[in-house]
Amino acid sequence: MPGATELQRVLADLRGTVSALTRGYRDQGRPVTDGSPELLALCARLEFLLQFDLKEKRSLWGQRQDYWDFLCQGLRGRHEHQGITHVRHLPQLRTPLGRGRALLRYCLARRQLAETLQLCLLDPQATRAWYHARSPFLDPQLCADLLACLYDLDGVAFCLDPQPPGLDAGWPPSTARCQQDVQRLAQAEHEALAREQAAREELGRQREVEREVKGRLLELLREKDSLWQQSEGIGAPPAPGPCARCRSTAGPLARRHQCR
């Protein structure tokens, strides 16, 4: 289970990520997209905080509840949050974790993340029903610092895919990670082609050696046959000579002797 030291580290990393996003948007003037590695880091760290010391609860059907259920309960009865309605109408989401991730992305795209989280934390008693004592949401100072940090994101524009695939399994990978994966795949393909080429060359060398061995074996068989014939006194058949009766010689134009 993560401890207080890791919690402080994640909070510090979250502040650094928010600073990087605000500084990048201020300097470049372009909205943050799914290709930003800082976006992936922000979502992962925010999810860590929402799951930190979260009590284990289950629905009536036995499904394990997550911070999505906490956010839904915190927003219930105050006003109809459009993000909740939007996420519930996404058919590809099957788990509370995937729905929670979709809601965070929805709030980021509409600059409502800090406000939405603050609405969910207005009732400390309801928050204690979902979190144990170590949660940063039960520490007034940590909670105030976290909300102040997230309110800085209201000045950053996010242009995100409203229906990203695979949120049940994980956050959408950033472009940098995709490029790394593509490079690894290209390198693996190059290595596979090199191995295949080396195998072809080795097979060609083996076939050449096989041909040489077969040729040498044939020569040895011929030499053995020649030595055997010499040892047995077997020579080549004598050339045909003239007929003893008519003294004529058979040839291409006269295949039969005159006496026959």
Side-chain angles (χ1 to χ4, degrees), residues 132-152:
H132 294 289
R134 297 190 308 159
S135 171
F137 302 126
L138 296 179
D139 187 319
Q141 185 61 44
L142 287 179
C143 187
D145 293 343
L146 176 60
L147 290 175
C149 177
L150 295 180
Y151 267 113
D152 291 340

Side-chain angles (χ1 to χ4, degrees), residues 243 246 248 256-260:
C243 179
C246 62
S248 63
R256 298 180 60 185
H257 295 283
Q258 297 178 3
C259 61
R260 297 180 184 178

Side-chain angles (χ1 to χ4, degrees), residues 33 77 91 117 122 141 206 243:
T33 64
L117 188 57
L122 287 178
Q141 185 61 44
Q206 291 179 358
C243 179

Side-chain angles (χ1 to χ4, degrees), residues 34 40 43 47 67 90-103 105 161-174 177:
D34 285 315
L40 179 62
C43 294
E47 183 175 82
Y67 63 87
L90 295 178
Q92 71 271 23
L93 298 177
R94 303 292 183 182
T95 64
L97 185 59
R99 296 187 184 99
R101 289 167 175 167
L103 180 60
R105 289 171 55 88
D161 183 0
Q163 298 186 19
L167 285 180
D168 288 327
W171 293 101
S174 65
R177 179 176 294 184

Side-chain angles (χ1 to χ4, degrees), residues 20-30:
L21 286 169
T22 54
R23 183 172 57 253
Y25 179 70
R26 183 177 61 252
D27 295 342
Q28 300 178 8
R30 293 195 297 267

Side-chain angles (χ1 to χ4, degrees), residues 75 77-85:
L75 296 173
R78 302 186 183 279
H79 60 85
E80 184 179 358
H81 197 281
Q82 296 297 324
I84 300 293
T85 305

Side-chain angles (χ1 to χ4, degrees), residues 119-192:
L119 288 174
C120 296
L121 299 173
L122 287 178
D123 187 355
Q125 191 66 27
T127 305
R128 290 191 187 94
W130 282 89
Y131 287 95
H132 294 289
R134 297 190 308 159
S135 171
F137 302 126
L138 296 179
D139 187 319
Q141 185 61 44
L142 287 179
C143 187
D145 293 343
L146 176 60
L147 290 175
C149 177
L150 295 180
Y151 267 113
D152 291 340
L153 293 175
D154 289 354
V156 180
F158 290 85
C159 183
L160 308 179
D161 183 0
Q163 298 186 19
L167 285 180
D168 288 327
W171 293 101
S174 65
T175 301
R177 179 176 294 184
C178 290
Q179 291 176 350
Q180 293 175 359
D181 293 340
V182 169
Q183 291 175 357
R184 284 196 296 268
L185 289 174
Q187 182 178 0
E189 183 178 1
H190 176 72
E191 293 175 354

Side-chain angles (χ1 to χ4, degrees), residues 17-92:
T17 303
V18 172
S19 298
L21 286 169
T22 54
R23 183 172 57 253
Y25 179 70
R26 183 177 61 252
D27 295 342
Q28 300 178 8
R30 293 195 297 267
V32 179
T33 64
D34 285 315
S36 170
E38 288 81 10
L39 172 66
L40 179 62
L42 171 68
C43 294
R45 286 159 184 162
L46 186 58
E47 183 175 82
F48 174 88
L49 296 176
L50 286 167
Q51 291 181 328
F52 185 83
D53 227 17
L54 181 67
K55 293 182 179 180
E56 184 174 351
K57 291 189 175 186
R58 295 190 178 274
S59 64
L60 295 177
W61 296 272
Q63 187 179 33
R64 187 179 184 277
Q65 295 181 329
D66 214 304
Y67 63 87
W68 155 259
D69 303 280
F70 162 70
L71 296 175
C72 288
Q73 180 172 319
L75 296 173
R76 186 182 305 162
R78 302 186 183 279
H79 60 85
E80 184 179 358
H81 197 281
Q82 296 297 324
I84 300 293
T85 305
H86 168 76
V87 172
R88 283 176 173 167
H89 285 82
L90 295 178
Q92 71 271 23

